[in-house]
Amino acid sequence: MQISNFEKYVFPPEQMAYIKQLKSLTRRIYGDNPKACVVTYGCQQNVSDSEHYKGMLSLMGFEFINEPSQADFILYNTCAVRGHAEDRVYGNIGVVKNYKRKRENIILAVCGCMAQQSHVAERIRKSYPYVDIVFGTQLQHRLPEFLYKRLSGGGRIFELSLENKEIVEDIPISRDGELKGWLPIMYGCNNFCTYCIVPYVRGRERSRHPVKILAEAREMVKAGFKDITLLGQNVNSYGKGCDFNMDFADLIREINNIEGDFRIRFMTSHPKDCTLKLLDAMRDCEKVAHHLHLPFQSGSDRILKQMNRHYDRKTYLELIEAARERIPDISITSDIIVGFPGETYDDFKETLSLVEKVRFSSLFTFIYSPREGTPASVMDDPISREEKGKWFNELLALQDKIAKENSKSFIGKTFRVLCDDYGKAPGIMSGHTSGNCSVEFEADKNMLGEFLDIEITDYTNMLSGKIVK
Ligand code: SAH
Ligand code: SF4
Ligand code: F3S
C-alpha cells in the first residue's frame, strides 16, 4: 500500500462542521450539560479508538459519565475476539431499552469489531430496534455525521464499509490518562490465524506515516506522558508495502531519539516477524522497556500449523534466547489458547512444557472460542468445554507457581519504577518496573509521575518495596 501525500489525510472538515452544529443541537435537546457514556470492550486498540470518540464528543460539548442509565448519548465500542465479549454487549444494549422508555431522546450507538460483522448488524437491526446507530471500525471519524443525522430526525444508521482507504489522521482525542498513553502505529491485520476474527473486522494492515507517529509521540512527551505504548496487531510488520523506508526497529530508534525521560512499550509482536534487528534496537534504545509481549498460542507444532502461525516451537524458543542474550533482565509475556479444535492432551502438554521452559512473567490465557466465518470454526472440535476447563486450570496453576517464584526472586533487587498511581492507603503509591511488574511502596503523592529506584522488600500478593536514595 502506498501512503504518499499523507498530509491530505486529515480529519475531514465536514466532520468538524457537524461537530459545530452538534454543539447547539445537543443543547437544544438535552439542556446545558449533555452527558455521554462511552463503554469500551476488548483490546488497547479499542481503548485508543474510544479516546478519539471522547475527543470528538467533548468538542460537541458532552461531559462524560460512567453510568449509562444517566447518559444522553451511549456508545458501546465492542470486541468480537471471543464469544463471551459479545454476549456481554447484547446483555448491556438490552438494558438500554428500559432507559429509553423513560427518556426517549437517548441515542444509543454500537461500534467496534463486533458491530463490524454483518450477522451482528443484522441481529441488531431486527432484534434491537432501539439501537440508533451502528458503524464499523474504519468509520470512526464519521461519528459526528452519524450523530447529527440521527438527532436531526433521520432514520436508524447502519454503516459498515470496510474499504481500507487511507488512514484518517488528526481525529480529535481526549486521552484517559496523563502518564501512560496509547499510540497506534498501524491498524488491521494480514495474518489470518485460523481462530481469529480480527482480520475480518479490522481489515488489511495499514501503517501510519512515521511523520505522524513521531509528531504524536513528541506531543505526548511534551504533555508529560512517561509511558507510551505503540499499538498494532503485529507491530513487526510496520511499514511493509509503504512508500517510506522504515521498519519497526527503525521507528523505535527514532522515537527513542525524542528528548525527555519516558518509556517506550509496544504490542503485539508476532513471533514470525520478530527480527534480531528489532531485538538489537531494543537493546540499544535506553527508553525501550525491557518487556516483550510475544504470544506463542500453543507449544505444539502440529497445532501451530493448524493455527496458521508460521513458526514452530524451536524458532520461538530461539527467539526467546536471542532476546535474553541481548537483554538479560527482559520480562517476557505471552498469549495462549487452550483447546484449539483437534488439540489433544499431548499437544496441550507441549504448551505446559514451553511455559515451564520460558518462565513467563505473566500470561494471558484463553479457552478457544469459535468465531463465525473463521476457518477454525468449522474444524472438528471433539474435546468438551469441561475437559478444556480442566486443562486451562492446570495451565493457570503452573503459571501461578512460576509467577510467584519469579516475584520472590526479585526480593533484594532494585528496579527503576515509574510511580504511576495512588496505592491502597494514604502514603502508599504504586508503579511499574521496566518489565511491567507492579510494585507498591511508601511515597508521597506528589511523586506521581516520577521514576524512582525501588528496592523490593517483600512479596505476598504483590511486590512491595522501598525508595532507595
Ligand atoms: N494480534 C495479536 C492478538 C490479538 S487477539 C497477536 O497476534 O498476538 C489477543 C489474543 O486473543 C490472541 O493472542 C489469542 O490468544 C486470543 N484469541 C484470539 N482469537 C481467539 C479465539 N477465537 N478464541 C480464544 N482466544 C482467542
Ligand atoms: Fe489475530 Fe493472528 Fe492477526 Fe493476531 S496476528 S490479530 S491473532 S490474525
Ligand atoms: Fe477485540 Fe477488535 Fe481488539 S476484536 S481484541 S477489540 S481488535
Side-chain angles (χ1 to χ4, degrees):
M1 190 188 49
Q2 300 282 301
I3 310 201
S4 7
N5 300 323
F6 66 93
E7 290 89 349
K8 68 179 190 230
Y9 303 114
V10 293
F11 187 60
E14 71 268 20
Q15 298 300 328
M16 202 44 107
Y18 283 120
I19 287 180
K20 287 209 179 98
Q21 299 195 48
L22 278 159
K23 237 185 139 148
S24 46
L25 183 60
T26 52
R27 273 176 173 64
R28 270 212 303 284
I29 298 174
Y30 300 123
D32 278 346
N33 299 302
K35 292 185 178 56
C37 175
V38 177
V39 184
T40 311
Y41 301 86
C43 64
Q44 286 77 7
Q45 182 59 64
N46 258 17
V47 174
S48 164
D49 288 350
S50 283
E51 293 184 332
H52 288 288
Y53 293 129
K54 286 183 208 161
M56 292 183 276
L57 290 165
S58 122
L59 288 182
M60 295 170 202
F62 280 99
E63 285 172 10
F64 298 103
I65 55 172
N66 293 324
E67 186 39 65
S69 63
Q70 306 302 313
D72 302 306
F73 175 60
I74 306 170
L75 178 65
Y76 284 110
N77 186 10
T78 63
C79 170
V81 84
R82 283 169 292 274
H84 176 67
E86 296 197 347
D87 298 340
R88 276 169 51 210
V89 170
Y90 283 125
N92 286 336
I93 59 181
V95 177
V96 178
K97 187 178 180 181
N98 303 328
Y99 311 154
K100 278 204 165 191
R101 276 206 194 105
K102 289 185 203 132
R103 286 186 300 131
E104 57 181 15
N105 283 337
I106 296 175
I107 297 287
L108 171 58
V110 183
C111 65
C113 297
M114 172 182 170
Q116 184 68 57
Q117 302 167 98
S118 48
H119 68 92
V120 172
E122 254 335 281
R123 178 165 165 191
I124 294 178
R125 194 198 295 274
K126 288 210 183 91
S127 310
Y128 299 83
Y130 46 89
V131 175
D132 298 284
I133 302 168
V134 176
F135 64 100
T137 54
Q138 291 185 5
L139 304 176
Q140 212 192 2
H141 56 286
R142 287 177 61 195
L143 172 67
E145 171 193 343
F146 301 148
L147 191 52
Y148 180 83
K149 286 182 173 163
R150 182 62 174 158
L151 268 180
S152 49
R156 299 174 79 197
I157 291 168
F158 287 80
E159 291 266 8
L160 296 170
S161 82
L162 197 61
E163 288 166 359
N164 234 51
K165 288 205 189 127
E166 307 293 350
I167 294 168
V168 176
E169 291 285 357
D170 304 328
I171 304 178
I173 187 164
S174 160
R175 294 186 194 272
D176 292 338
E178 288 169 358
L179 292 172
K180 297 184 177 191
W182 311 112
L183 176 44
I185 63 164
M186 57 193 300
Y187 304 95
C189 181
N190 288 353
N191 290 313
F192 291 95
C193 304
T194 53
Y195 49 82
C196 187
I197 195 74
V198 172
Y200 304 89
V201 292
R202 284 273 173 185
R204 294 296 63 71
E205 256 170 37
R206 299 174 299 160
S207 297
R208 287 180 73 191
H209 198 284
V211 167
K212 287 292 184 186
I213 297 170
L214 287 165
E216 191 171 341
R218 271 188 217 104
E219 229 169 74
M220 291 173 80
V221 172
K222 209 168 139 202
F225 282 83
K226 301 283 181 199
D227 187 301
I228 298 176
T229 303
L230 311 177
L231 293 181
Q233 294 301 341
N234 177 14
V235 289
N236 303 120
S237 59
Y238 175 76
K240 274 188 192 163
C242 294
D243 60 359
F244 50 82
N245 189 18
M246 190 178 278
D247 66 13
F248 183 58
D250 304 329
L251 180 70
I252 62 171
R253 282 184 193 271
E254 290 289 331
I255 298 175
N256 190 67
N257 285 337
I258 296 175
E259 231 170 276
D261 199 8
F262 66 99
R263 264 181 192 153
I264 304 165
R265 300 182 184 278
F266 55 87
M267 65 190 307
T268 296
S269 289
H270 194 304
K272 82 174 162 64
D273 299 311
C274 182
T275 57
L276 297 182
K277 183 179 173 192
L278 171 65
L279 299 177
D280 288 346
M282 286 182 78
R283 175 199 56 205
D284 298 344
C285 294
E286 73 289 353
K287 287 171 190 149
V288 173
H290 289 187
H291 176 203
L292 182 62
H293 182 60
L294 198 65
F296 72 91
Q297 313 297 356
S298 166
S300 151
D301 285 344
R302 197 178 71 82
I303 296 299
L304 285 173
K305 258 215 173 74
Q306 299 278 310
M307 287 177 162
N308 193 34
R309 290 286 289 181
H310 296 283
Y311 56 85
D312 58 14
R313 180 188 174 89
K314 183 164 162 282
T315 37
Y316 184 83
L317 287 169
E318 284 165 3
L319 258 181
I320 300 290
E321 207 179 291
R324 286 186 167 149
E325 244 165 46
R326 287 164 179 76
I327 308 155
D329 67 344
I330 195 165
S331 134
I332 296 173
T333 57
S334 199
D335 295 353
I336 300 177
I337 296 177
V338 174
F340 182 82
E343 181 173 345
T344 63
Y345 189 67
D346 279 343
D347 292 313
F348 173 67
K349 278 202 297 202
E350 297 271 290
T351 295
L352 290 178
S353 89
L354 199 145
V355 167
E356 228 157 4
K357 252 201 177 98
V358 177
R359 300 185 64 82
F360 294 95
S361 305
S362 66
L363 287 178
F364 300 89
T365 47
F366 310 102
I367 293 186
Y368 169 73
S369 167
R371 308 283 65 220
E372 195 172 318
T374 61
S377 70
V378 293
M379 292 179 188
D380 241 10
D381 190 4
I383 304 290
S384 70
R385 180 84 190 187
E386 196 193 354
E387 185 65 15
K388 291 180 184 181
K390 282 189 200 150
W391 299 0
F392 186 77
N393 290 337
E394 206 176 325
L395 174 60
L396 288 190
L398 171 63
Q399 178 56 26
D400 198 44
K401 178 178 115 344
I402 293 170
K404 279 195 179 117
E405 289 166 2
N406 281 344
S407 299
K408 289 208 166 123
S409 76
F410 292 158
I411 295 176
K413 293 187 180 146
T414 297
F415 294 85
R416 191 161 188 258
V417 169
L418 172 64
C419 178
D420 57 26
D421 208 352
Y422 302 104
K424 53 179 183 269
I428 306 283
M429 299 295 284
S430 68
H432 288 83
T433 64
S434 176
N436 213 25
C437 293
S438 134
V439 192
E440 279 194 333
F441 45 89
E442 274 182 31
D444 195 84
K445 59 181 190 310
N446 64 21
M447 288 187 155
L448 192 71
E450 282 183 37
F451 285 102
L452 303 167
D453 284 333
I454 303 282
E455 183 191 323
I456 304 300
T457 51
D458 193 20
Y459 171 78
T460 31
N461 289 320
M462 193 178 170
L463 292 172
S464 47
K466 60 171 194 227
I467 301 177
V468 290
K469 282 274 168 269

